[in-house]
Amino acid sequence: MVAALGAAVCFGVASVLQAVATRATAPGTGSGVDARLLARAAKQWKYLAGLGLDTAGFVLELIALRSLPIYTVGAALAASLAVTALAASRMLGVRLAGREWAAVAAVCGGLALLGLSSGGEGDSHGSDALRWATLGAAAVVLALGAAAGRLPERSRAAALGLGAGCGFGVVEVAVRLIDGIRPATLLANPALYALLLGGAAGFLLLTSALQRGSVTAATAGMVLGETVGPALVGVLALGDRTRHGWAPVAVAGFALALLGALALARFGEGGAPASETPRREPATSGR
């Protein structure tokens, strides 16, 4: 649980750093997913610092996924929005409304309930069919995400965000499907390639979503995609369970953390986007 919360802190602070760099990056000329956006953003040192924190958070996420049920880790990662909100209020001068402070408290309360009720990870490493299905899901996420980039502006950000969340969800499931780290075993496991493809697809789609539309819509879609589906796979296919008699508490904690994260969705890019509230310039106001 310490690793999961550490990952949330890393991802949350990274979002604030990347927010400044992404907003300073010139947008592309098309309306679809722009892979060159990553190269342009990488010229900003704060974006690179955010990537470093993302890398540390990913390592902590892997550690957590090898010890905790997917539903607990997914809720903890969604809690990175609470970290982002708090960091943005200090680093970017973004003012939190009363309901957003309540959402931060809800996230913390939900995680506390999950921490009390979670059992260990399931003892199943999944079937070969599930490994191949996970790799197929990663490829589908990338293909549908590219198509989502051509949707009308109103629905584009939400679709790209949902695709990004599904990509990150593939990563969560794939980690649990890797049952050996010897090179021969690892390279023959389709879950390894699902992890790499799902992570790359999620990162590309989220970066495109944040620059091309509503941050709130994109982040809400991402939170739903990376929590609900993987949690169901963990329970139904990988044997994730709660402590005996604590299932209602776990469900309540998961729902509370998820709802709190959705209420903080506008902080998916580190603060309020220009299309939703007046933009604050980082140099004068105070991923």
Side-chain angles (χ1 to χ4, degrees):
M1 195 65 183
V2 171
L5 294 176
V9 171
C10 288
F11 291 143
V13 176
S15 292
V16 177
L17 293 174
Q18 290 168 343
V20 179
T22 301
R23 293 170 187 176
T25 301
T29 57
S31 62
V33 175
D34 183 6
R36 292 174 296 178
L37 171 61
L38 299 181
R40 294 195 298 273
K43 297 178 181 179
Q44 306 284 333
W45 73 265
K46 290 182 179 179
Y47 193 84
L48 295 178
L51 287 181
L53 283 174
D54 280 334
T55 301
F58 181 66
V59 172
L60 292 172
E61 177 186 353
L62 296 183
I63 295 172
L65 284 167
R66 303 298 293 184
S67 303
L68 290 174
I70 293 177
Y71 63 81
T72 300
V73 179
L77 296 182
S80 66
L81 289 174
V83 177
T84 299
L86 295 175
S89 69
R90 297 293 299 272
M91 297 171 62
L92 297 178
V94 176
R95 184 181 299 276
L96 272 64
R99 69 179 183 85
E100 289 168 337
W101 283 111
V104 171
V107 168
C108 295
L111 290 178
L113 293 177
L114 280 172
L116 291 172
S117 59
S118 294
E121 66 167 347
D123 56 6
S124 172
H125 288 290
S127 63
D128 288 339
L130 182 57
R131 292 182 177 87
W132 283 107
T134 303
L135 177 57
V140 169
V141 165
L142 185 59
L144 292 182
R150 298 179 175 84
L151 291 174
E153 184 175 355
R154 175 171 297 184
S155 55
R156 184 189 309 150
L160 287 172
L162 180 61
C166 290
F168 296 139
V170 166
V171 171
E172 295 174 21
V173 174
V175 169
R176 290 283 301 278
L177 298 176
I178 296 176
D179 54 359
I181 59 174
R182 291 186 304 173
T185 302
L186 189 62
L187 293 175
N189 192 337
L192 172 64
Y193 305 102
L195 186 155
L196 297 175
L197 183 58
F203 191 74
L204 173 60
L205 295 179
L206 181 60
T207 303
S208 297
L210 291 179
Q211 199 199 48
R212 295 183 180 280
S214 164
V215 171
T216 300
T219 306
M222 182 194 69
V223 168
L224 291 173
E226 72 177 348
T227 54
V228 178
L232 290 175
V233 173
V235 171
L236 298 176
L238 298 177
D240 287 348
R241 295 293 183 268
T242 65
R243 293 171 57 187
H244 181 68
W246 284 72
V249 177
V251 171
F254 183 84
L256 191 61
L258 182 59
L259 291 174
L262 290 174
L264 294 169
R266 80 176 177 100
F267 293 95
E269 198 192 10
S275 60
E276 296 171 27
T277 63
R279 174 176 297 187
R280 296 174 181 264
E281 295 296 333
T284 59
S285 64
R287 196 212 145 207

